[in-house]
């Protein structure tokens, strides 16, 4: 038990020294990188060059004079990329003395081939008006929603789609209530009811009695 306590005591005694040594090692590996990115032929500063640490989501861009500054670690790979120049990669030396490093990076221009562009003569006013009038413009979401919620479309859907559970239950309850209302007596004849004839004419005009396919 005494040996165990002695080991624990020495462990607590050595932990601060080990942490300090690790901190000093990490502190020694941090490098403040200063640099300038220039053209390969005319030695002019290139603005807007992306300077990224490879494998990490960390970087910066050069200013209007092509100058940049970023904190890196010894051994990191630095990527330089620009839309008009060839990408380059440089590595920070691992045996660097001190915590500062200066760099001059030269980039060569990169040729970008664009797809073929066909230039045609501008159409006349008559041709433009003809094509503009005859152009088939697809319906947007608002127009499609307006068509789907129109009265005619809703009437067609109401006749063709089956009733759901709530509608079927309400219809059954309504029929039962109508039967209970006239229980023990003869129901009225709607053949002489002008309101019933008005509803019949409206239904006939709507086409409710047409044969469904």
């Amino acid at each position: 038990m005494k040996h165990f306590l002695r080991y624990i005591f020495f462990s607590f005694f050595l932990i601060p020294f080990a942490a300090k040594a690790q901190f000093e090692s990490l502190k020694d590996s941090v490098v403040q990188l200063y640099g300038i990115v220039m053209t390969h032929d005319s030695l002019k500063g290139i603005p807007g060059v992306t300077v990224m640490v490879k494998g990490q989501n960390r970087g910066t861009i050069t200013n209007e004079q092509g100058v940049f500054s970023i904190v890196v670690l010894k051994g990191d790979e630095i990527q330089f990329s620009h839309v008009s120049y060839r990408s380059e990669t440089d590595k920070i030396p691992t045996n660097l003395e001190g915590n500062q490093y200066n760099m001059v990076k030269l980039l060569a221009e990169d040729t970008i081939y664009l797809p073929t562009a066909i230039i045609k003569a501008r159409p006349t006013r008559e041709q433009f008006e003809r094509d503009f009038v005859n152009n088939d413009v697809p319906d947007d979401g608002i127009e499609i929603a307006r068509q789907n919620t129109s009265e005619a479309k809703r009437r067609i859907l109401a006749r063709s789609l089956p009733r759901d559970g709530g509608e079927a239950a309400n219809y059954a309850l309504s029929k039962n209530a109508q039967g209970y209302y006239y229980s023990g007596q003869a129901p009225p004849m709607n053949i002489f009811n002008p309101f019933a004839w008005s509803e019949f004419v409206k239904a006939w005009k709507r086409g409710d009695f047409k044969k469904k396919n």
Side-chain angles (χ1 to χ4, degrees):
M1 185 66 181
K2 293 182 179 180
H3 294 287
F4 180 72
L5 294 176
R6 184 180 302 172
Y7 290 148
I8 293 178
F9 175 76
F10 280 110
S11 298
F12 281 107
F13 182 74
L14 293 176
I15 284 176
F17 293 96
K20 182 178 180 181
Q22 185 177 4
F23 175 76
E24 292 295 335
S25 177
L26 179 62
K27 181 180 178 181
D28 182 65
S29 63
V30 176
V31 177
Q32 181 67 48
L33 175 61
Y34 301 96
I36 181 172
V37 182
M38 308 175 71
T39 58
H40 188 272
D41 50 356
S42 59
L43 299 180
K44 293 182 179 180
I46 306 174
V49 178
T50 302
V51 183
M52 293 289 296
V53 181
K54 188 175 181 179
Q56 303 181 23
N57 190 19
R58 184 166 55 88
T60 183
I61 59 174
T62 59
N63 60 10
E64 296 180 357
Q65 289 76 32
V67 179
F68 69 93
S69 176
I70 186 175
V71 176
V72 297
L73 299 177
K74 295 179 181 179
D76 283 345
E77 294 185 1
I78 311 301
Q79 294 178 331
F80 301 87
S81 60
H82 192 278
V83 67
S84 301
Y85 298 86
R86 296 178 183 176
S87 299
E88 297 285 347
T89 302
D90 275 8
K91 187 175 182 180
I92 305 299
T94 56
N95 57 352
L96 180 66
E97 296 182 359
N99 300 102
Q100 292 187 1
Y101 187 69
N102 298 326
M103 175 185 297
V104 177
K105 188 62 184 177
L106 303 180
L107 297 183
E109 292 187 1
D110 190 14
T111 304
I112 299 177
Y113 295 95
L114 299 177
T116 304
I118 301 176
I119 301 176
K120 296 183 179 180
R122 186 173 60 183
T124 61
R125 181 181 180 87
E126 291 76 13
Q127 292 174 342
F128 177 79
E129 292 178 352
R130 179 199 61 194
D131 296 339
F132 182 81
V133 172
N134 297 325
N135 187 24
D136 186 14
V137 180
D139 296 334
D140 56 1
I142 297 177
E143 180 61 26
I144 294 175
R146 185 181 295 109
Q147 295 175 3
N148 292 336
T149 56
S150 63
E151 184 179 356
K153 188 68 172 290
R154 288 187 284 109
R155 189 181 299 116
I156 294 174
L157 293 176
R159 292 200 305 266
S160 59
L161 295 178
R163 293 187 177 93
D164 59 9
E167 292 176 342
N170 292 334
Y171 179 77
L173 292 175
S174 177
K175 296 295 291 184
N176 292 337
Q178 185 177 2
Y180 297 150
Y181 186 80
Y182 296 109
S183 179
Q185 58 180 330
M189 301 295 293
N190 289 329
I191 190 172
F192 302 109
N193 189 349
F195 297 103
W197 278 100
S198 176
E199 294 296 330
F200 171 77
V201 173
K202 292 180 180 179
W204 179 71
K205 290 182 179 180
R206 289 196 305 262
D208 295 347
F209 303 104
K210 291 183 179 181
K211 184 177 180 181
K212 301 179 182 179
N213 296 329

